Amino acid sequence: MQKFIQLWLGQAASMIGSAMSAFALTIWIWESTSQVTALALLIFFIQLPRIFLAPVAGILVDRCNRKFLMAIGDTVSALLTLAILLLYISQNLQIWHIYVAGAVNGIFDQIQQLAYSAAIATMMPEKHYSRASSLSFLASYGASIIAPTLAGILYSAIGLSGIFTIDLATFTIAIATLVSVKIPQPAIASNPQPTRFHLLQELSFGFRYIVERPSLLALLASVSLFWFAHDIGAALYSPMILARTGNNARILGTILSAAGAGGVLGASIVSIWGGPKRRIRGFLFGMAGAGLSKIVFAFGQALSIWIPAQFCSSFNFPILGSSNEAIWLAKVAPEVQGRVFATRAVIVQLASAIGLLIAGPLADRVFEPAMQPGGFLAAIFGPIIGTGAGAGMALLYAISSLGLLLVAVSGYACRLLRDA
């Protein structure tokens, strides 16, 4: 755990810088377009190459030095940040530049994340898997506390260029920390007849591994449905708040910080506690809690509702995420985790990408017009969710949040999943 924490601290620093850049880019794109679709497409283009290249990334993680792959991922991310910074300073930055950079970064970030996940099993015993996974959530949500508040304040003071400069400094910390940590590499099984195994067999290995284990297949299906519904809401989250607050970046930053605080508390509890003995219960309980909280958030129209609802929502994600990750780490052999985790990533990211792709057009063309005064849904839902800018997004967010709750309830009814 000591070596892992050292590695984790460097990655946590990088997450803060990246989260600040992501927040600043969200504001810049919204101010430039006022379109949910423009923001949703950014996330979509980050996800798209990950879907197609994840199987190859999984093979690389199982065949190559994982520390080296993590270093490559961090380095490429830093170079792309520098490129966007130079384009912005020269006043040549366009939204399609950000989409291209996001797509390239998605490829190498996929490799980096798979290598990081697979490294956990070689750095510590199984009893610490839940703790290690919860620390990853702690870093992510810790960044969510610090980054939005800082970025919301600094955006008007130092602008996009200043925030990107801070991001580059945090990449330096992450790479320096990674270099100083030893990450054990699992033995690669020798292949006496390598010509018997074709690339397609290697690429399909993870899928076959999961299909042969019904409980893992049920778990993957549940996670995929959850993230499909979740990412419809994720695409709406920032533009919904900005639309309902007159583009107030500080209010958005405050809500995101509340989310970070909830996530940090949840991750801290799991880190100390170690997670439930029946990990599948933690997974399903976390999904249900997140769904209920997000439904309340959708119907809120003020900080007094948004902050506690978002805090409670984020509190559940370390519980469900660490429980899910611990199940996979325990049930998949370390020497094949790269390929199996890559297959998992492909399925989940495909579901996520579909959610992102439909969220923007649904919000911009259907729900927002329908929830304007006089719209065909305004008379029905207006009294409880309001009308005007952002109301249509709020209604769609509520529907997607109800989907999260339904996935959790369905999971309790599935015996294969309960036995995972």
Side-chain angles (χ1 to χ4, degrees):
M1 284 297 292
Q2 183 179 358
K3 292 182 183 298
F4 176 77
I5 288 174
Q6 185 179 345
L7 173 66
W8 172 80
L9 285 171
Q11 295 300 309
S14 179
M15 285 183 184
I16 293 173
S18 297
M20 289 179 66
S21 292
F23 182 90
L25 279 175
T26 297
I27 303 301
W28 187 83
I29 292 173
W30 180 255
E31 288 178 346
S32 301
T33 66
S34 297
Q35 292 289 315
V36 178
T37 302
L39 284 168
L41 282 176
L42 173 59
I43 310 173
F44 174 77
F45 283 121
I46 292 172
Q47 294 279 48
L48 187 63
R50 297 165 67 106
I51 295 170
F52 294 105
L53 294 176
V56 177
I59 294 173
L60 287 173
V61 169
D62 285 341
R63 296 286 183 257
C64 301
N65 185 284
R66 292 170 178 176
K67 178 177 177 178
F68 174 75
L69 293 174
M70 291 172 66
I72 291 293
D74 283 335
T75 302
V76 171
S77 293
L79 291 173
L80 289 168
T81 300
L82 178 61
I84 294 294
L85 174 59
L86 294 175
L87 285 168
Y88 179 77
I89 292 173
S90 64
Q91 298 184 346
N92 290 314
L93 181 62
Q94 299 179 35
I95 291 178
W96 71 266
H97 292 142
I98 300 172
Y99 291 164
V100 172
V104 176
N105 186 58
I107 296 170
F108 289 91
D109 188 55
Q110 177 74 85
I111 296 172
Q112 199 267 358
Q113 287 185 8
L114 286 173
Y116 179 84
S117 296
I120 292 175
T122 63
M123 295 183 75
M124 66 195 69
E126 182 179 337
K127 65 180 181 179
H128 292 312
Y129 287 172
S130 290
R131 286 189 174 92
S133 297
S134 67
L135 281 174
S136 297
F137 282 95
L138 184 61
S140 176
Y141 283 107
S144 297
I145 295 176
I146 300 169
T149 303
L150 279 178
I153 296 171
L154 294 175
Y155 186 77
S156 58
I158 61 177
L160 199 64
S161 58
I163 291 173
F164 269 48
T165 302
I166 295 172
D167 191 8
L168 287 171
T170 63
F171 276 121
T172 303
I173 296 171
I175 294 171
T177 307
L178 176 61
V179 169
S180 66
V181 175
K182 181 180 179 181
I183 299 177
Q185 184 74 14
I188 299 173
S190 60
N191 186 3
Q193 293 180 300
T195 55
R196 291 178 56 190
F197 298 94
H198 300 294
L199 178 61
L200 286 177
Q201 290 176 303
E202 284 282 272
L203 292 174
S204 65
F205 174 84
F207 180 76
R208 289 185 279 111
Y209 189 97
I210 293 171
V211 169
E212 291 168 1
R213 292 158 178 81
S215 62
L216 283 182
L217 184 60
L219 181 60
L220 178 59
S222 180
V223 172
S224 300
L225 289 171
F226 177 86
W227 284 105
F228 167 75
H230 176 275
D231 283 356
I232 292 176
L236 306 170
Y237 181 87
S238 294
M240 177 179 71
I241 299 302
L242 290 170
R244 305 203 92 170
T245 60
N247 288 355
N248 193 316
R250 292 198 177 190
I251 290 179
L252 176 60
T254 300
I255 296 170
L256 289 171
S257 294
V264 165
L265 180 61
S268 299
I269 290 173
V270 176
S271 297
I272 297 168
W273 169 35
K277 291 183 179 179
R278 289 282 292 133
R279 290 160 176 164
I280 193 62
R281 291 181 181 175
F283 171 70
L284 294 172
F285 174 82
M287 285 202 299
L292 284 170
S293 302
K294 286 181 178 295
I295 291 171
V296 174
F297 183 89
F299 286 96
Q301 299 182 53
L303 279 174
S304 58
I305 301 296
W306 285 332
I307 287 178
Q310 190 57 38
F311 180 93
C312 293
S313 171
S314 296
F315 175 84
N316 288 280
F317 278 86
I319 300 172
L320 76 89
S322 61
S323 298
N324 175 55
E325 194 69 17
I327 293 170
W328 287 91
L329 287 167
K331 289 183 174 289
V332 180
E335 62 271 15
V336 299
Q337 284 180 359
R339 284 167 288 174
V340 175
F341 288 2
T343 298
R344 177 186 65 174
V346 168
I347 303 301
V348 173
Q349 288 164 9
L350 182 60
S352 170
I354 295 171
L356 292 167
L357 201 58
I358 66 175
L362 280 175
D364 290 332
R365 300 178 185 179
V366 180
F367 283 86
E368 276 294 290
M371 289 299 291
Q372 298 303 308
F376 74 92
L377 292 177
I380 303 172
F381 297 103
I384 56 175
I385 210 165
T387 58
M393 287 183 268
L395 178 57
L396 182 55
Y397 192 95
I399 294 170
S400 68
S401 301
L402 178 61
L404 302 182
L405 184 59
L406 292 176
V407 171
V409 172
S410 300
Y412 278 107
C414 177
R415 182 175 180 179
L416 278 177
L417 190 58
R418 290 200 310 270
D419 294 340

